[in-house]
Amino acid sequence: MRPVYIAGTGMTAVAEHWTRTALSLARDAAHLALQQSTINRIDGVYVANGSGAPLGLHQNIAPAVAHALDLHGVEAISFESAGAAGGLAIRHAATAVAAGVADAILVVGVEKVSDFLDEHREESMALTSDTDWESLHGVTLTAQWAMLMRKYMHDYAVTPHDFAPFPVNAHANAVANKLALYRFAISADKLAGAGMIADPLSLLDSATMADGAAAVIISATPASAAPPVRISGSGVASAPVALHERTDLLDLSAVRLSSQRALHAAGIPANHIQAFDLHDPHGIAAVLAFEAMGYAARGTGTQLGSSNAIRPDGSVPVALSGGCKARGDLFGALGVYQIAELTAQLRHTAANQVPNCQHAMAQSMAGIANTVVTHILSRD
Amino acid sequence: MEHARMELARHWRHRHARYRLQGSRHTTTGAIAFPPRDGSEWEPTLLSGQGTVVTYTVIHQPPLGHHGEVPYVLAIVALAEGPMITAQLSDCRANEVQIGMPVEMVTRLLGNEGDDGLLLYGYKFRPLLV
Amino acid sequence: MKPNRPVGIVGYGAYVPRYRIAAKEISRVWTDGHGGVPVSAKSVPGPDEDVITMSIEAARNAIKRSDMQASELTAVWIGSESHPYSVKPSGTIVADALGATPFVSSADFEFACKAGSEALTAGMGMVGSGMANYVMAIGADTAQGRPGDALEYTAAAGAAALIVGPAAESLATIEETVSYVTDTPDFFRRADRPYPVHGNRFTGEPAYFMQVRSATQALLQQLGVSPNDITHAVFHQPNARFPQAVAKQLGFSAEQIQTGLLANRIGNTYSAAALLGLTAVFDVAQPGDTILMASYGSGSGSDAYLLRVTDAILARRDRAPKTLRYVEREYFVDYAVYAKWRDKLVMG
């Protein structure tokens, strides 16, 4: 199969875009990506959107996006796999280009959630859990992460404060990201007094969903003046949806399998990854992901925070654009934002630049890692 | 006139599992499963309702339909027969809950489908009464 | 009335919610603390409890104390004035939760506070006639009192379940029963209205006292038994004072009614009230003891029973939580939480 390049990227700011529609946000991001590249023919438009259908807004938005971009009659596919939608859209675009079925595919991730009340959003997000045996009981995504965090704290004798470095790092990095939802630093002691969402997860260790769109052109050629960036590997894995069906609650097995598959496809070892963008709405999510992938031994993941390993100059820099916490939780569009942001890292034009970045990892998921998508990006 | 969503059949088909913790027993291995399993190798069996708290959270920002219950305790309970189950804890304060605490099943109101709609009954767990 | 085939109680179970509101807390809100209160506290159902959930636990306790299984029940009848559905019997859900479906009879009973004992009497007929071996009769209520009304101090929640079966298998036989019913409108609620109305002092002598006395006296006369011959007496208890007064009028002593008198701590549990008093007596009674129970339902009427405790009670009564265990399990809430839980706040 032939190599796959990122020919152009575009992102809107992450915000409550009160005056914009999903379609207009998608158009803006797509135009930025198209302007960045020399591609003159788009063979397909893949659109990732996780919230539209569950919120009753729209289903199968892809043809509307294609039409809005004057890409009439083009192959338009919607990916509506909750938080994994963006990553899955990227993967399938990469697979189609690698296989020679298409030469250039525009992938757009878009979310428009600010029109809806909090409780409607919570309910629609909870659709990613088991409806009859979890969400019926009033489960939310945050509640599920909170239960994992409570068990983690019990098993490994850590406190909520030990997770603080993760949101602190995310906010510190977002200051330099003009597109981030929150561009202010926070301090660890602010976490102590923050209001609870689902104990022990407070407002300051919980991401906020907002509106935005990102676009990436996946192409068989670099088709850009910028240094070539390739998708060198991708991998997808699944796990039981209901937490109570899993044998080891603190083992995000789909994170491990997905990253192993991606690294294997890229042909690089795990310790060659120099920048990470993970699905990190809470510190516990990043900790469990790092442990599942072997970057920290079980029960020691919080030390990646306390030792500053997660900072831009550390050994496992993460949330370089602000992560879900400060850049914003883009739900189904996250996977596309991640590729756009890490492409800048690999072009060495990022705001929080990791020195001489050659390989980066993007990872997003549906629910609590019931579908996990990992991509490895490499600079030629 | 608009009705709240009514999913009568969906709730009705799960009533035995929800009201009395009816699960399945594998006819060959004797393994116990909850929720109940399909297939001829599984037969219905009643679980005892005894269990221990594996982990829990206290929810302050609820999803739709659970606003009046806040704050409520959600837990994953390990049932004595082996399976784990997700359920609310009742009859206890949030600060009384501990990982490892023994609990027992009670059948309580889980919610309703609107003022005109079905009342939903099902399992919750409470600290042992005895 | 007594059936041809001897019958008795083969299993009994109680349930009282753990929440309480002090009567003084209610008067703090409505009378600024002035005036006396008819009970010390009343039970309050939690937000996830109702007649159906309480009946399920009481019934499960009853089955534990029996030697039979729920699938052997021929009827599951619940008497209440606060059934969660006006159309769809509480019994259908309780029977399913117990595992008594599908070959079972199950309609709801209503006769104000004596709906549970009406089910008990019907059960006696079902078993006594040989149509059934086991019938589950439950009295349960989550009674509502109009805010600020005298009844608000006592309108409480609880459930008691009695399994009627053959006398040979019972913990206590039922020797005889008398039902005394008249059209006496002391307390009632019109369909589709949220709160009942009552006739103040009219609920006393012409209603409660007259019916309870008449049923009890007729029963004692038919049996040729006097109050002295009876070990325990349990009366319907809308407050602490009425049962004590009627006991005195009938010639029962304070000691005889003491064990079955729960109203001061849990209020008036309506259809469960007399039956819960009976379960409290069962928890401590000795083989050979006799028990007089007289329920009362507004509208109005009284069902009186004479029971005799058997040897079998000693081995079986510890299989489920005692009534006093539920009574002593107390968590007090204030008026605001109580009003929120009891849907007394108009949410728009």
Side-chain angles (χ1 to χ4, degrees):
Chain A
M1 305 233 280
R2 56 185 182 173
V4 172
Y5 293 92
I6 311 288
T9 67
M11 291 179 278
T12 70
V14 180
E16 288 166 336
H17 288 285
W18 301 116
T19 61
R20 314 295 302 287
T21 64
L23 225 46
S24 68
L25 290 167
R27 270 185 62 193
D28 280 2
H31 281 151
L32 286 168
L34 288 163
Q35 281 159 20
Q36 230 187 56
S37 83
T38 58
I39 295 280
N40 53 22
R41 197 191 81 192
I42 294 291
D43 299 319
V45 175
Y46 290 4
V47 182
N49 172 255
S51 64
L55 285 169
L57 189 59
H58 50 67
Q59 189 170 27
N60 191 33
I61 197 181
V65 172
H67 183 76
L69 293 169
D70 289 323
L71 294 168
H72 303 290
V74 76
E75 173 177 338
I77 304 180
S78 303
F79 287 79
E80 292 170 310
S81 348
L88 291 176
I90 296 283
R91 170 172 171 78
H92 284 280
T95 306
V97 168
V101 168
D103 288 333
I105 294 179
L106 172 68
V107 180
V108 179
V110 59
E111 294 292 351
K112 178 85 185 110
V113 296
S114 54
D115 293 350
F116 298 91
L117 300 177
D118 288 345
E119 49 186 19
H120 281 109
R121 271 209 305 278
E122 288 287 3
E123 203 209 5
S124 70
M125 298 311 127
L127 287 173
T128 56
S129 63
D130 187 318
T131 335
D132 281 322
W133 308 105
E134 287 184 312
S135 46
L136 177 78
H137 299 283
V139 158
T140 61
L141 270 187
T142 307
Q144 293 184 297
W145 285 118
M147 286 200 285
L148 295 183
M149 182 173 169
R150 171 70 60 194
K151 181 164 204 315
Y152 189 98
M153 286 162 46
H154 175 266
D155 289 355
Y156 301 116
V158 296
T159 69
H161 186 81
D162 292 309
F163 292 88
F166 289 84
V168 167
N169 172 59
H171 273 263
N173 290 342
V175 171
N177 178 4
K178 292 193 181 65
L179 303 178
L181 177 66
Y182 298 128
R183 296 190 58 200
F184 52 84
I186 61 171
S187 66
D189 36 271
K190 259 199 154 183
L191 261 94
M196 281 296 158
I197 295 183
D199 196 294
L201 280 172
S202 72
L203 275 169
L204 284 182
D205 191 11
S206 299
T208 307
M209 286 187 62
D211 309 331
V216 162
I217 301 174
I218 308 284
S219 160
T221 60
S224 168
V229 174
R230 280 183 303 112
I231 295 181
S232 50
S234 91
V236 183
S238 63
V241 169
L243 292 187
H244 56 247
E245 300 270 354
R246 299 179 183 185
T247 46
D248 183 353
L249 284 176
L250 298 179
D251 174 32
L252 298 183
S253 58
V255 166
R256 179 175 48 264
L257 287 173
S258 160
S259 66
Q260 280 171 356
R261 289 170 185 161
L263 288 164
H264 180 77
I268 63 165
N271 61 8
H272 281 206
I273 303 293
Q274 295 158 279
F276 296 82
D277 207 299
L278 301 178
H279 194 104
D280 57 353
H282 315 283
I284 182 68
V287 164
L288 291 178
F290 275 128
E291 289 183 10
M293 293 190 282
Y295 291 101
R298 275 289 287 265
T300 69
T302 52
Q303 292 168 26
L304 294 176
S306 58
S307 68
N308 287 326
I310 56 175
R311 296 290 296 136
D313 56 358
S315 58
V316 286
V318 71
L320 291 154
S321 303
C324 287
K325 179 66 188 75
R327 176 249 282 119
D329 181 355
L330 272 307
F331 198 53
L334 179 67
V336 187
Y337 263 89
Q338 290 175 332
I339 299 299
E341 289 162 354
L342 289 175
T343 298
Q345 277 290 333
L346 290 164
R347 287 175 176 166
H348 300 169
T349 60
N352 298 303
Q353 182 66 50
V354 168
N356 194 30
C357 189
Q358 300 293 316
H359 301 288
M361 174 191 282
Q363 188 176 84
S364 55
M365 62 178 64
I368 311 292
N370 56 48
T371 295
V372 182
V373 198
T374 307
H375 285 98
I376 312 297
L377 282 84
S378 302
R379 178 188 171 101
D380 264 351
Chain B
M1 193 181 119
E2 215 183 296
H3 289 286
R5 267 176 69 146
M6 291 229 291
E7 297 171 82
L8 303 177
R10 173 189 153 210
H11 296 296
W12 164 82
R13 81 172 60 92
H14 293 305
R15 69 198 186 285
H16 291 155
R18 291 194 190 157
Y19 294 175
R20 53 190 204 227
L21 226 54
Q22 184 169 292
S24 301
R25 188 186 160 280
H26 197 275
T27 51
T28 326
T29 67
I32 306 290
F34 188 91
R37 298 273 188 268
D38 290 329
S40 57
E41 69 275 26
W42 295 97
E43 62 185 12
T45 189
L46 273 185
L47 280 76
S48 65
Q50 303 301 307
T52 54
V53 173
V54 172
T55 186
Y56 66 96
T57 182
V58 185
I59 291 181
H60 296 271
Q61 280 193 20
L64 204 64
H66 293 268
H67 177 75
E69 303 162 36
V70 165
Y72 57 95
V73 181
L74 195 70
I76 295 179
V77 172
L79 297 170
E81 292 85 354
M84 292 200 291
I85 191 171
T86 301
Q88 286 191 24
L89 298 189
S90 192
D91 284 4
C92 62
R93 309 277 293 160
N95 59 16
E96 293 167 6
V97 183
Q98 287 188 326
I99 290 180
M101 188 170 95
V103 290
E104 60 190 10
M105 188 274 280
V106 286
T107 309
R108 294 290 174 90
L109 259 174
L110 298 184
N112 61 61
E113 296 194 314
D115 290 341
D116 288 328
L118 192 64
L119 293 169
L120 303 177
Y121 295 93
Y123 48 81
K124 290 191 183 184
F125 289 80
R126 70 172 177 206
L128 300 185
L129 180 67
V130 245
Chain C
M1 296 183 278
K2 76 175 170 196
N4 295 331
R5 174 189 178 198
V7 299
I9 307 294
V10 304
Y12 71 92
Y15 180 79
V16 182
R18 77 181 201 138
Y19 301 102
R20 304 282 180 273
I21 183 169
K24 287 205 167 124
E25 168 64 2
I26 299 176
S27 75
R28 174 182 75 80
V29 172
W30 289 105
T31 67
D32 203 27
H34 295 290
V37 289
V39 294
S40 174
K42 70 171 187 174
S43 62
V44 179
D48 59 1
E49 298 188 280
D50 65 10
V51 158
I52 288 171
T53 65
M54 296 192 300
S55 296
I56 290 171
E57 179 151 343
R60 283 176 177 157
N61 287 340
I63 289 175
K64 283 181 190 161
R65 288 191 172 107
S66 76
D67 282 334
M68 41 77 74
Q69 300 183 26
S71 54
E72 300 177 77
L73 288 166
T74 302
V76 174
W77 290 325
I78 297 162
S80 177
E81 57 183 90
S82 47
H83 288 289
Y85 293 96
S86 297
V87 178
K88 179 168 168 59
S90 303
T92 56
I93 297 156
V94 174
D96 205 296
L98 295 176
T101 50
F103 291 104
V104 69
S105 163
S106 171
D108 283 348
F109 281 67
E110 187 280 309
F111 198 137
C113 298
K114 84 172 185 89
S117 61
E118 284 276 357
L120 174 63
T121 301
M124 288 173 64
M126 193 76 135
V127 174
S129 67
M131 280 173 70
N133 280 329
Y134 307 103
V135 167
M136 176 80 71
I138 299 172
D141 258 301
T142 53
Q144 274 284 27
R146 181 184 301 279
D149 181 85
L151 289 180
E152 195 189 16
Y153 292 86
T154 53
L162 301 171
I163 304 176
V164 183
E169 300 172 33
S170 54
L171 309 173
T173 57
I174 310 177
E175 309 280 287
E176 180 116 21
T177 185
V178 166
S179 283
Y180 185 93
V181 167
T182 64
D183 175 7
T184 304
D186 61 316
F187 160 112
F188 51 87
R189 178 169 66 81
R190 293 274 300 279
D192 298 335
R193 302 298 292 165
Y195 297 112
V197 295
H198 62 93
N200 290 344
R201 289 154 64 94
F202 183 63
T203 65
E205 176 51 39
Y208 176 91
F209 289 100
M210 210 286 240
Q211 329 293 312
V212 170
R213 275 199 319 260
S214 304
T216 305
Q217 282 163 347
L219 178 71
L220 296 179
Q221 195 170 46
Q222 280 176 35
L223 288 168
V225 149
S226 83
N228 295 336
D229 303 325
I230 294 171
T231 326
H232 300 277
V234 179
F235 296 102
H236 174 56
Q237 35 204 280
N239 50 50
R241 193 171 61 83
F242 272 28
Q244 290 169 336
V246 82
K248 204 163 174 196
Q249 291 170 11
L250 285 163
F252 290 96
S253 70
E255 289 73 35
Q256 284 171 303
I257 65 168
Q258 190 183 1
T259 308
L261 193 50
L262 309 173
N264 194 45
R265 288 183 79 168
I266 62 174
N268 179 3
T269 53
Y270 282 52
S271 296
L275 307 189
L276 272 174
L278 180 64
T279 64
V281 169
F282 281 157
D283 285 339
V284 299
Q286 293 303 305
D289 282 359
T290 49
I291 308 168
L292 179 283
M293 174 177 71
S295 64
Y296 173 74
S298 290
S300 76
S302 172
D303 301 320
Y305 307 81
L306 191 77
L307 302 101
R308 188 180 303 274
V309 178
T310 72
D311 293 336
I313 205 167
L314 297 173
R316 281 155 48 186
R317 70 170 157 219
D318 291 337
R319 292 182 190 169
K322 300 237 164 90
T323 304
L324 222 54
R325 176 75 186 90
Y326 286 109
V327 171
E328 287 168 352
R329 180 182 75 137
E330 297 171 323
Y331 185 91
F332 281 84
V333 298
D334 64 21
Y335 196 88
V337 170
Y338 155 82
K340 171 182 152 187
W341 285 357
R342 298 302 286 131
D343 292 331
K344 292 180 197 262
L345 299 175
V346 176
M347 304 292 257

